[in-house]
Amino acid sequence: MNDRTPAILKPSAEARDIDELFAGKIFRVPNYQRNYAWDKKNWDDFWNDIREGLETNTEHYWGTITLKVTDETYYCEEEDRYFKVYEVVDGQQRLTTIYLFLLALSNKGRPILKKRFIKCGNIYRLELGGLNGQFLKELVDGKNPTPTIRTNRLLRDCLEFFENQIDSFNRTDDLSRYLQKITFSLEFVVQDQTLAVKAFESLNDRGKPLTLLDKTKSYLMFLSLRYLDNKLNEYINEVFGNIFTNYDIIKEIGEQEDIDYIRSARFTEDELLRFFYHYFGYYAIQTYKLPIGYNYDATANDVFEIFLKKSCNYLKSDPKLEDFVREFLEGLDKFVMSFREVIGEVKTNCKIKKLFSFLGLNTRVYPLLISLKTENLLDNSMLDLLETLDLRVYKIRGTDPRADLYRDCISKIKLNPDYNQIVRAIKDFINWFMDDPTFQHYLNGSLYKNPAAKYILWEYEKYLDSSFNDCNYSLYKICQVEHIFPEEPTLKFPAYQFNDEREYIGNIHRLGNLCLLEENINKKIQNKIPQNKIQGYQKSAISRTRQLGYYIDNNGFDKEDINRITKEIIDFCLKRWKI
C-alpha cells in the first residue's frame, strides 16, 4: 500500500471567452458523470444573465469549467482542422447549456455558429455520455427526436426554450456577439486523475452544494489515489456512472407509474445512500470488525460522515481497506440496480404495481424490499407479507415504528439471507405493533382519512367479484372514498336508527359507511342521504357500488347496515392481510 501522494503536473487556469473556450476542443462528458439535469429555473437564470448583460453592456462570468487532458485528437477533413479531446470533470451542466444556446442561435439565423462551435463534418464538439449521447446528436442534426426519459426531455425543452426566447428578443446578431466575446468562464485544465478529483472537490461552483453521493464518489476516489495505488479509479467511475443513470431511470419510472414518493422531491440521490446503508452497514461492521455501531435512524449524512469515513479511516493502514471499498462499491452498484429492476417491474407486474402505485408503499419499507430483491428473496409470498406489513403497521396504525424492524431484520439480510428467519422477523414485528385483535379494533373505528381505506375497498371489490380487473389503475385513480351517509348531518334525529347527532358522527367514517365512487359522479351527489344517491351509485363502474344502489332502492340503508358491512369488511381484511 502506497501512502505517498502521486506526483502531478501543475494545472493551468485561464479566463476564456466562448471563442477561446471552444477553440480546438472536443468536450467529452464521461459516462460516469451525471446526465443532463438543468431545468427551466436554470434556463431562466441563464437567459436573464445574457439579456441583462447585453442590455447593460457588462461582462458576465459563467463559472468554472474543469477539464482533463486526454491523448485523443480528431481531424475534421471538411475544415482541415484538428481537435483535441478534453474530458469534462466539472461544469458539464453549464457547458451543455451553453452548447444548446449556441445551437439555438444557429437554428435562428446564425448558421455559421454551427460550424464554429457545434459540429465539424461528422465530429460533434460536445459528446455527452450516459443516456444523453445519441439524443443530443439527433437534436444537433435536426432530427426532432422524441425523448423517452426526463433527462432527454430537458435537453429538448432547453433548446426549444432558447429558440423561443431568441425569436421573441429579436436581436440574434447582438446575442451571438455578446455570448462569444463578453461572457467568460474560468477554464481549469488538469493533466491527471489525481488533480481532477481535487478540482472537483474544491472548485465546484454550480450554485448548489455537492450531493452526498457526489462526495462519496470523490472520497472513494481519494482513497484509491492516496492508499490503493489508483487500483479502483476506473471501477469507481463505472459504478457511479451506473448509479447516476439508474437513479434517473428510477425517477422516470416513478413519474410514469405515479409512484408518489419516487416522483416527489424527497426522493433524491442521497436516499440511495441511506437505503443502502441498512443493507450493507451491519454486515460491514461485523465483517471488518469496525469500531462503530449500526444506527437504524441514520441520515444520509450519517452514512457518509460516520459510517463511511470513520470506517475507511480505521482501515487506512490495513490491507483490508481495498476489500472494504470494493465490497462497498459492488454492493451499492448491485443494490441500486436491484432497486431499478423492481421499480421497472411496476410496468408489468400487477402485484408490484399495486404495492407501489395503488397502496403507496411507506418509505420505511423501501430498504427492506430492495435488500430482499438484492438477495433474490423477493417472491410473491414475500411481496404479500410486505403489503401486510405496510398496510397494518404503517397505514392502519398510522405510526412510524422501525427500530426493531431495522435492527432485527433489514440490517441482517446481507449477513444472513435466511428466507424463513426473515419471514419470522417481519411477522414478529407486525404482531408486536398490529396483531389481529388490534387490527380488528382499528378497522372498526374511523377509517375515512386513513391512507389504506381506498385500497381496502378496492381489494374488497376483487374479493366480491373475481372478474373485477384489480390492475386497472386508471379506474383506481379516479375513484374516491365516498360516504354513503354524508359527512355533514342533515337529518332530524332520531333517524335511520341513529339516536342523535353524536351517534351519527361516530359511525359515518366507519368502513360500512364507505364505498368507492368515481369523482365525476361523486361531485353530483355530495351531501345527500342514501336514497338520493341511488341513480349515481347505479352508474358506477364499481360493481359493489352499483349493487349498493339497488340494495338501497329496495331495502333502504341505516345504522345496522353500517354495522353489518363493517363486520364483513373486517372479516375480509383479517383473511386478506393475515400474518
Side-chain angles (χ1 to χ4, degrees):
M1 196 177 302
N2 185 356
D3 192 40
R4 292 177 292 107
T5 303
I8 58 175
L9 297 174
K10 290 184 178 181
S12 63
E14 298 285 346
R16 306 285 195 194
D17 63 30
I18 298 300
D19 281 341
E20 293 166 337
L21 180 66
F22 275 73
K25 296 187 187 74
I26 292 171
F27 301 104
R28 176 178 294 160
V29 178
N31 287 329
Y32 60 78
Q33 295 279 28
R34 184 175 282 99
N35 295 298
Y36 187 68
W38 274 19
D39 56 20
K40 189 174 183 300
K41 180 182 182 301
N42 303 109
W43 310 332
D44 278 330
D45 291 342
F46 185 101
W47 168 253
N48 289 333
D49 288 339
I50 291 177
R51 186 187 60 190
E52 292 170 9
L54 174 60
E55 290 175 344
T56 58
N57 195 33
T58 54
E59 296 177 349
H60 178 70
Y61 170 64
W62 292 117
T64 304
I65 306 290
T66 308
L67 308 172
K68 182 168 79 75
V69 176
T70 75
D71 295 329
E72 291 186 62
T73 301
Y74 287 0
Y75 173 66
C76 176
E77 187 174 351
E78 288 82 350
E79 297 288 327
D80 189 26
R81 297 169 62 193
Y82 285 92
F83 296 96
K84 190 168 183 62
V85 177
Y86 291 78
E87 282 193 1
V88 182
V89 175
D90 187 38
Q92 71 268 25
Q93 304 289 331
R94 182 180 301 109
L95 185 60
T96 302
T97 306
I98 291 172
Y99 185 80
L100 289 169
F101 189 79
L102 288 163
L103 178 59
L105 285 170
S106 73
N107 291 343
K108 292 297 178 178
R110 295 286 293 170
I112 192 172
L113 298 179
K114 193 162 190 177
K115 287 185 177 181
R116 185 178 298 173
F117 298 106
I118 304 300
K119 186 180 180 184
C120 182
N122 293 321
I123 299 172
Y124 298 85
R125 303 289 299 283
L126 175 64
E127 299 176 354
L128 297 185
L131 301 169
N132 298 141
Q134 184 59 35
F135 190 86
L136 180 64
K137 290 178 180 178
E138 292 181 10
L139 269 185
V140 168
D141 293 337
K143 294 182 179 179
N144 298 317
T146 301
T148 58
I149 194 164
R150 181 176 182 270
T151 181
N152 287 334
R153 281 199 298 275
L154 292 173
L155 288 173
R156 180 202 61 187
D157 293 350
C158 178
L159 178 62
E160 291 180 356
F161 172 83
F162 287 143
E163 288 177 343
N164 290 333
Q165 294 289 10
I166 291 165
D167 273 341
S168 176
F169 196 62
N170 199 28
R171 293 177 61 183
T172 304
D173 290 346
D174 292 341
L175 286 170
S176 176
R177 281 192 294 270
Y178 178 79
L179 180 69
Q180 293 176 69
K181 292 298 183 182
I182 314 182
T183 69
F184 299 87
S185 293
L186 179 64
E187 179 192 71
F188 191 84
V189 179
V190 298
Q191 304 295 323
D192 63 15
Q193 188 72 39
T194 305
L195 197 54
V197 171
K198 288 296 183 183
F200 182 74
E201 288 181 309
S202 61
L203 292 178
N204 185 280
D205 60 356
R206 295 178 298 174
K208 60 180 181 179
L210 293 172
T211 68
L212 288 166
L213 204 59
D214 287 324
K215 292 180 179 180
T216 298
K217 176 188 173 185
S218 180
Y219 179 68
L220 294 176
M221 189 66 77
F222 163 76
L223 293 174
S224 178
L225 295 166
R226 178 85 174 175
Y227 299 109
L228 304 176
D229 292 323
N230 300 305
K231 291 179 184 177
L232 297 180
N233 294 9
E234 290 186 7
Y235 188 45
I236 292 168
N237 282 333
E238 176 188 337
V239 166
F240 279 87
N242 293 341
I243 291 169
F244 291 140
T245 293
N246 285 331
Y247 171 78
D248 285 344
I249 292 172
I250 293 167
K251 195 77 173 174
E252 178 70 16
I253 295 172
E255 291 281 353
Q256 294 172 352
E257 300 299 324
D258 202 24
I259 305 174
D260 285 341
Y261 166 64
I262 292 178
R263 64 190 299 201
S264 74
R266 292 179 295 139
F267 178 60
T268 65
E269 293 173 349
D270 292 344
E271 288 287 81
L272 301 177
L273 197 63
R274 184 171 68 86
F275 289 166
F276 172 66
Y277 167 75
H278 297 296
Y279 169 70
F280 183 77
Y282 182 76
Y283 163 84
I285 290 166
Q286 296 299 311
T287 302
Y288 293 93
K289 304 187 186 320
L290 301 173
I292 53 177
Y294 169 74
N295 177 10
Y296 77 88
D297 201 27
T299 64
N301 190 66
D302 293 336
V303 177
F304 177 68
E305 294 289 349
I306 298 174
F307 171 70
L308 182 60
K309 292 179 77 171
K310 286 190 175 181
S311 297
C312 291
N313 188 58
Y314 175 73
L315 295 170
K316 69 180 181 182
S317 299
D318 190 318
K320 291 182 181 179
L321 176 64
E322 181 179 347
D323 293 336
F324 174 83
V325 174
R326 190 179 293 276
E327 276 208 89
F328 181 92
L329 290 164
E330 288 174 352
L332 182 59
D333 195 17
K334 185 179 179 183
F335 185 85
V336 177
M337 175 56 77
S338 297
F339 191 5
R340 170 185 164 177
E341 287 173 354
V342 75
I343 292 299
E345 290 183 59
V346 170
K347 296 181 176 183
T348 56
N349 186 321
C350 180
K351 189 179 287 288
I352 294 176
K353 173 73 174 178
K354 286 165 71 175
L355 190 60
F356 281 100
S357 301
F358 287 69
L359 180 59
L361 187 69
N362 189 283
T363 58
R364 301 301 185 190
V365 187
Y366 271 65
L368 174 57
L369 183 143
I370 304 166
S371 297
L372 291 167
K373 178 69 175 179
T374 305
E375 293 294 328
N376 296 313
L377 298 172
L378 194 63
D379 59 13
N380 284 338
S381 295
M382 190 66 81
L383 284 168
D384 288 339
L385 184 58
L386 295 188
E387 183 178 287
T388 300
L389 164 67
D390 185 68
L391 185 133
R392 281 194 178 216
V393 177
Y394 292 105
K395 298 290 193 299
I396 296 298
R397 186 181 177 91
T399 54
D400 190 29
R402 61 189 185 281
D404 293 339
L405 180 68
Y406 279 54
R407 285 193 296 241
D408 299 338
C409 181
I410 302 175
S411 66
K412 297 180 179 178
I413 288 174
K414 180 171 173 60
L415 191 66
N416 181 27
D418 183 289
Y419 186 94
N420 292 327
Q421 188 169 322
I422 293 166
V423 168
R424 283 196 299 273
I426 296 172
K427 287 185 175 181
D428 287 347
F429 181 78
I430 297 171
N431 267 315
W432 180 257
F433 287 99
M434 187 59 82
D435 60 11
D436 283 352
T438 308
F439 190 37
Q440 189 169 357
H441 170 74
Y442 273 83
L443 290 171
N444 198 38
S446 175
L447 261 288
Y448 172 64
K449 292 185 178 180
N450 191 283
K454 183 177 178 179
Y455 190 68
I456 287 172
L457 295 173
W458 182 265
E459 290 297 285
Y460 188 52
E461 178 70 18
K462 179 67 175 180
Y463 170 75
L464 296 175
D465 178 9
S466 61
S467 67
F468 177 64
N469 180 10
D470 57 326
C471 298
N472 184 351
Y473 185 67
S474 297
L475 177 59
Y476 183 83
K477 194 171 181 180
I478 64 172
C479 282
Q480 296 179 329
V481 178
E482 146 76 356
H483 287 95
I484 300 169
F485 278 106
E487 278 190 271
E488 298 295 330
T490 58
L491 306 172
K492 183 177 180 181
F493 297 100
Y496 298 98
Q497 297 189 25
F498 297 111
N499 292 316
D500 51 36
E501 183 174 331
R502 182 178 179 181
E503 187 177 27
Y504 179 90
I505 292 173
N507 279 273
I508 56 171
H509 295 321
R510 296 174 68 205
L511 284 169
N513 191 51
L514 305 177
C515 67
L516 294 176
L517 189 64
E518 295 89 327
E519 182 180 7
N520 63 320
I521 301 175
N522 198 11
K523 286 180 178 178
K524 297 176 182 178
I525 61 173
Q526 285 182 349
N527 217 41
K528 295 180 180 179
I529 61 173
Q531 283 82 354
N532 293 337
K533 296 181 178 182
I534 291 170
Q535 289 185 355
Y537 286 178
Q538 291 174 352
K539 293 177 182 178
S540 175
I542 304 297
S543 176
R544 174 178 171 249
T545 305
R546 289 198 308 273
Q547 294 302 318
L548 182 62
Y550 290 109
Y551 177 86
I552 295 170
D553 194 17
N554 290 297
N555 302 285
F557 197 80
D558 58 29
K559 188 184 78 170
E560 286 308 310
D561 289 301
I562 294 177
N563 290 333
R564 172 180 56 82
I565 295 172
T566 297
K567 183 180 182 305
E568 291 170 354
I569 297 178
I570 289 173
D571 290 343
F572 157 74
C573 289
L574 289 167
K575 295 174 185 176
R576 173 66 177 79
W577 293 287
K578 64 182 178 180
I579 307 173

